Amino acid sequence: MKTFNIAAAIVFAATVSSCNHNFDQIPVHETPRVEYAPNMYVSEAYEPVTLVEDSVNFPEAYNVMPYNNGSNLRLPVAGTIKRGAIPYHISKDSLAYANATLVAPIQPTEQVLAEGQVLFERFCSHCHGKGGEGDGPVNDKLQGVANLKSGTLKAVNAGHIFHVITYGKGRMLQHSSQLEPLERWKISLYVKEVLQKK
């Protein structure tokens, strides 16, 4: 027991004597300290938006300007798509091809049509009107907004409408930056299954 007390006293004295209460006045490089849990201070994983100083493992962080510019964010692998995204590769001038080949990846369930109505009223009704007859307030100023209930547009399928929402047509600008692909499909199905059947 006496040996244990002596060893404990030595350890305590060494610990206390190693403490420096005036370290604020001494430059850090002159007072090296032991880190007992370095992973608590230095993350082993890179933080996503911090700058990295590792030109060996991350050379593109220094070579790609201004996208990376030293940031730890990585460029996506070529050819990859976002999880849940639906790739769309039909060109803008292929409307007839889109009309002939595109099929909605979702079914026009009650929930899908209800969500399509909300999206239509939010993004489309100011031009096309709530009923899709081309009588929205924007048409009062610009004229020429399409009547979605016309015989010509009743003859097209949901893929045609999806393509036009994606790329725009005539005075209508593209909406692919405002609406995800599934949202565009919901609007297309709402137009076909609800508005054009009224």
Side-chain angles (χ1 to χ4, degrees):
M1 188 68 173
K2 190 174 184 182
T3 306
F4 175 77
N5 288 340
I6 293 171
I10 291 171
V11 169
F12 178 76
T15 303
V16 171
S17 65
S18 67
C19 295
N20 182 353
H21 299 290
N22 299 317
F23 64 86
D24 288 337
Q25 288 81 28
I26 302 172
V28 174
H29 66 277
E30 292 180 13
T31 59
R33 294 177 181 84
V34 176
E35 290 182 346
Y36 294 100
N39 59 333
M40 298 288 287
Y41 305 101
V42 181
S43 173
E44 296 199 8
Y46 284 110
E47 295 296 331
V49 293
T50 56
L51 299 180
V52 292
E53 297 178 4
D54 188 351
S55 60
V56 175
N57 295 313
F58 299 103
E60 66 271 25
Y62 295 89
N63 298 330
V64 180
M65 298 281 284
Y67 185 82
N68 281 84
N69 196 20
S71 168
N72 191 38
L73 292 172
R74 304 293 90 212
L75 290 168
V77 177
T80 57
I81 59 169
K82 181 171 70 170
R83 181 175 300 213
I86 301 170
Y88 189 61
H89 303 297
I90 298 176
S91 64
K92 182 178 181 177
D93 57 350
S94 301
L95 183 56
Y97 178 76
N99 183 56
T101 60
L102 281 182
V103 177
I106 53 176
Q107 294 299 313
T109 62
E110 284 185 26
Q111 181 180 347
V112 165
L113 296 177
E115 291 172 6
Q117 179 178 2
V118 171
L119 291 165
F120 181 88
E121 290 175 359
R122 188 174 298 157
F123 290 94
C124 312
S125 63
H126 53 277
C127 291
H128 294 285
K130 245 183 169 178
E133 296 173 351
D135 56 353
V138 171
N139 189 47
D140 296 340
K141 298 286 182 186
L142 296 180
Q143 302 297 316
V145 174
N147 178 353
L148 301 175
K149 292 185 174 181
S150 70
T152 306
L153 289 178
K154 277 188 175 181
V156 302
N157 68 13
H160 176 105
I161 298 168
F162 175 88
H163 188 85
V164 171
I165 295 171
T166 302
Y167 289 119
K169 184 173 186 270
R171 290 188 172 189
M172 178 177 165
L173 300 176
Q174 62 86 18
H175 283 64
S176 58
S177 60
Q178 293 96 330
L179 293 160
E180 294 286 334
L182 281 178
E183 293 175 325
R184 285 176 255 154
W185 277 116
K186 288 173 184 177
I187 292 173
S188 304
L189 291 172
Y190 172 71
V191 170
K192 293 303 298 178
E193 301 295 324
V194 178
L195 291 184
Q196 291 186 345
K197 291 188 177 176
K198 284 184 178 179

